[in-house]
Amino acid sequence: VMGVGESTRTAAEVGAIDCHAHVMPSEYVDKLVDASRKDPSLAPAARRLTEEHPHRFPLALGNIDRRLELMDAAGIETQVLAMGSPFLSSRDDRIRRSLVQTWNDSALDLAAEHPGRFFVFASVPLPDVRGAVAEVERLSGRENVIGWLINTHPAGWPIDDVRLDPLYAAWDATEAIVF
């Protein structure tokens, strides 16, 4: 993260970096709930985020002030935000693209509102490879995107499936970090 911006601080002067912190912005959850009405395959994910997760993972769903307080108390200067589970299972590419864009944009808004506290591992709408490449092109070079998150078996495909080659080529072209 120190390479993302200009810094003359030594490693000893930088607080800890949590390089994998899940967040589910309210804009994303609302859109997921709405999409689950059109695509019933999303209903279990919407139900988990609205019924189960608020009790088990309250920080993932919102309270940013509390998240910042806990980060400060633990000596964590920066978190790299990543979409958490459940991963998107919609068979409709348009719905998946819209949900991923909403999550990415909401996470980037959060990072912009708290400079230096949050960076983003952006997501892609796999198995829609064309949509994934389009999302890489849309967000490449955007401030606070420091890499990309990929599930190890998107849509049941192994991570080295040749159908993903165009996505890997897009990431290679931008020298992206993939997590």
Side-chain angles (χ1 to χ4, degrees):
V1 171
M2 287 187 63
V4 171
E6 295 296 319
S7 179
T8 56
R9 296 184 299 166
T10 67
E13 295 170 314
V14 174
I17 298 170
D18 177 354
C19 72
H20 188 191
H22 295 292
V23 66
M24 294 295 189
S26 60
E27 299 87 353
Y28 169 77
V29 174
D30 292 346
K31 189 165 235 177
L32 178 62
V33 169
D34 185 52
S36 72
R37 294 183 188 105
K38 298 173 190 132
D39 182 349
S41 71
L42 293 171
R47 197 169 28 260
R48 273 181 283 181
L49 287 178
T50 58
E51 295 172 14
E52 177 185 331
H53 280 43
H55 308 291
R56 291 183 57 209
F57 308 106
L59 293 179
L61 288 168
N63 193 335
I64 298 306
D65 291 335
R66 181 69 178 137
R67 180 184 286 249
L68 290 167
E69 288 173 15
L70 291 171
M71 287 169 60
D72 290 343
I76 297 171
E77 183 172 331
T78 301
Q79 285 186 334
V80 181
L81 304 175
M83 180 185 279
S85 138
F87 288 101
L88 302 173
S89 58
S90 175
R91 293 185 219 7
D92 186 320
D93 289 345
R94 292 174 312 212
I95 289 174
R96 207 174 325 98
R97 283 180 190 180
S98 177
L99 287 167
V100 166
Q101 286 177 355
T102 298
W103 187 90
N104 286 338
D105 292 344
S106 297
L108 286 168
D109 288 347
L110 183 59
E113 291 166 13
H114 303 279
R117 299 306 308 264
F118 300 113
F119 291 92
V120 176
F121 278 139
S123 290
V124 290
L126 291 174
D128 174 13
V129 175
R130 277 203 293 211
V133 170
E135 191 66 358
V136 170
E137 291 170 351
R138 185 178 82 89
L139 295 182
S140 287
R142 285 277 303 271
E143 185 175 7
N144 297 321
V145 173
I146 65 164
W148 297 87
L149 178 70
I150 185 173
N151 190 349
T152 57
H153 282 81
W157 300 354
I159 201 166
D160 63 349
D161 193 296
V162 296
R163 292 174 284 188
L164 296 172
D165 285 353
L167 176 59
Y168 291 128
W171 279 333
D172 282 345
T174 63
E175 298 181 354
I177 295 170
V178 179
F179 184 82

